Amino acid sequence: MKLYVARHGQTDYNQQKKFYGSSDVPLNANGRKDAAKLADKFEALPLGLIVTSDLKRARQTARLIIATHPESDSQLSSKLEESHFGAWEGLNADEIQATFPEDWQNWLDDPFHVSPTNGENFQDFNTRVLAGLKNILSDAASNDHVLLVAHLGVLRVINQSFFPESNFWKQKFPAGTYSVYQLDEVGRCVGVVYDV
């Protein structure tokens, strides 16, 4: 199986460097260009299943791809939503530091074990995403080509599940590109190409 993964296009919050995991913001003009670029890359690729985070920016990114693959099944998945940042949603790093200085520093010191203020902790996020991936791969057993359109944190969790020794923060998954994992019959990754 080939598992394609793509990040949603740019939003205004991306440009403003804001934390906005569960905020349902749309693509901006550049994000719509990212989505069109991605759709062009997928136009000639066979896709049996397209699964998208249910947040607007991911749905908008996937829309053109779905339109050019009418034979494909498509699904929305709340398990592919970005990590929820609680009280930090809509704030940039300086604003978070000014408003929640102790929480911010604790999170910077140990982001895998300290939660954002009133937000989702990493272990719950990781468990949610991997449960969603497991369900998708199970549903897609008869499909050779599956696309996930999601968020940076989600794609990093998936990447680290295949490569546990990798640096979680390393992979950037740029908008307008896709990466592809070659999976064997039991779901192990036997090859990967990043940022096509």
Side-chain angles (χ1 to χ4, degrees):
M1 172 191 294
K2 287 188 175 179
L3 175 67
Y4 300 89
V5 301
R7 183 182 178 186
H8 63 79
Q10 187 186 76
T11 70
D12 287 343
Y13 276 18
N14 284 128
Q15 283 189 308
Q16 297 161 9
K17 301 189 183 310
K18 294 189 174 187
F19 286 64
Y20 68 110
S22 62
S23 299
D24 203 12
V25 301
L27 299 178
N28 62 17
N30 286 335
R32 291 189 291 276
K33 290 177 186 175
D34 293 332
K37 181 179 173 183
L38 194 60
D40 286 345
K41 292 180 178 184
F42 276 106
E43 189 170 4
L45 293 174
L47 294 173
L49 176 63
I50 301 169
V51 184
T52 307
S53 159
D54 59 357
L55 293 175
K56 185 181 297 181
R57 56 196 183 268
R59 295 193 329 264
Q60 289 176 322
T61 300
R63 185 176 296 146
L64 290 175
I65 301 169
I66 292 169
T68 59
H69 291 80
E71 73 289 350
S72 300
D73 292 330
S74 60
Q75 302 173 5
L76 296 177
S77 174
S78 61
K79 292 188 184 302
L80 297 183
E81 287 182 7
E82 183 60 284
S83 182
H84 302 177
F85 288 102
W88 299 1
E89 294 272 334
L91 304 178
N92 65 33
D94 290 340
E95 293 166 332
I96 297 168
Q97 184 176 24
T99 310
F100 306 101
E102 187 174 338
D103 290 354
W104 175 246
Q105 189 57 55
N106 289 338
W107 184 78
L108 287 177
D109 291 342
D110 193 1
F112 297 116
H113 297 98
V114 174
S115 303
T117 310
N118 301 323
E120 183 176 24
N121 70 58
F122 181 80
Q123 296 308 316
D124 289 345
F125 172 55
N126 190 74
T127 298
R128 167 169 61 81
V129 170
L130 294 183
L133 177 63
K134 182 178 179 181
N135 291 343
I136 291 162
L137 295 180
S138 176
D139 290 347
S142 62
N143 291 306
D144 291 333
H145 300 270
V146 177
L147 168 63
L148 307 184
V149 180
H151 310 269
L152 179 58
V154 170
L155 301 185
R156 284 175 168 167
V157 165
I158 291 170
N159 186 72
Q160 194 164 49
S161 76
F162 294 135
F163 302 104
E165 302 305 316
S166 65
N167 182 328
F168 180 81
W169 309 107
K170 180 181 177 186
Q171 293 304 322
K172 302 300 182 190
F173 297 102
T177 71
Y178 68 84
S179 297
V180 57
Y181 300 91
Q182 182 70 46
L183 306 184
D184 66 15
E185 61 280 355
V186 295
R188 290 179 302 216
C189 182
V190 294
V192 61
V193 179
Y194 294 108
D195 307 339
V196 178

